[in-house]
Amino acid sequence: MKVKFYNDIEDSLLKFAVIISKSRGKWVFCKHKERDTYEIPGGHRDEGEAIEETAKRELKEETGAVDFQIRPVCVYSVTGKNRVNETGEETYGMLYYADIKTFAEDLHSEMEKIVLLDTLPADWTYPLIQPLLIDEYERRTSR
């Protein structure tokens, strides 16, 4: 599995949006109903959808975020087979950061719950990808 980072790329190549999030200074992670691991909110871009709209939609669906600020961080790519990429070809996504002020009371998605953590989780859904996304976010924002 190989993860790369870019400042930008042709919009039509962006297939995913992933949103690193914090609320009240804590990391926001999702736990899917069918898994015992934690993940960063995100998902596939719908046809004809602007990538920022994908990010906002996925953040709302997976975390219940109601009031938030969101901004792009960078483009990332993943090369290698995984549960969302059967061919293993390089696929591109946009990485965002969101500061979530308030959440809806109930989740209406495939997520069982969200958790707010002071530290990063030990059990990742995508351990070869998502920790690298957070590392890149921290690298870019600490300059």
Side-chain angles (χ1 to χ4, degrees):
M1 190 78 52
K2 184 164 182 131
V3 179
K4 292 183 186 176
F5 297 96
Y6 305 89
N7 289 325
D8 55 31
I9 201 160
E10 182 183 323
D11 180 77
S12 64
L13 295 174
L14 295 168
K15 305 296 182 204
F16 302 95
V18 172
I19 312 93
I20 294 169
S21 309
K22 285 191 173 181
S23 181
R24 298 181 293 281
K26 296 181 182 279
W27 297 105
V28 177
F29 285 90
C30 304
K31 185 195 168 297
H32 194 285
K33 291 175 181 175
E34 297 175 358
R35 296 186 276 276
D36 293 325
T37 53
Y38 294 93
E39 55 201 73
I40 300 169
H44 290 83
R45 182 183 200 177
D46 289 341
E47 190 170 334
E49 186 176 50
I51 196 67
E52 186 167 319
E53 292 308 309
T54 303
K56 291 176 181 177
R57 175 179 53 77
E58 290 289 349
L59 186 66
K60 290 175 186 177
E61 288 175 5
E62 294 191 353
T63 69
V66 176
D67 180 16
F68 58 88
Q69 292 181 326
I70 190 168
R71 63 178 173 82
V73 175
C74 66
V75 174
Y76 72 96
S77 74
V78 176
T79 305
K81 291 185 179 186
N82 59 56
R83 56 177 293 282
V84 295
N85 181 3
E86 293 179 6
T87 68
E89 293 178 4
E90 187 173 26
T91 56
Y92 299 91
M94 180 64 83
L95 182 62
Y96 287 88
Y97 173 78
D99 182 26
I100 303 173
K101 305 288 186 218
T102 57
F103 296 90
E105 291 190 27
D106 296 318
L107 289 177
H108 301 286
S109 74
E110 68 275 11
M111 295 303 165
E112 178 181 313
K113 65 181 178 179
I114 61 160
V115 294
L116 302 179
L117 302 172
D118 289 318
T119 59
L120 299 175
D123 298 325
W124 296 85
T125 302
Y126 303 100
L128 300 177
I129 301 169
Q130 293 189 330
L132 299 177
L133 301 181
I134 289 182
D135 288 347
E136 184 67 10
Y137 159 74
E138 290 184 322
R139 188 185 72 75
R140 287 176 181 252
T141 58
S142 68
R143 294 184 212 171

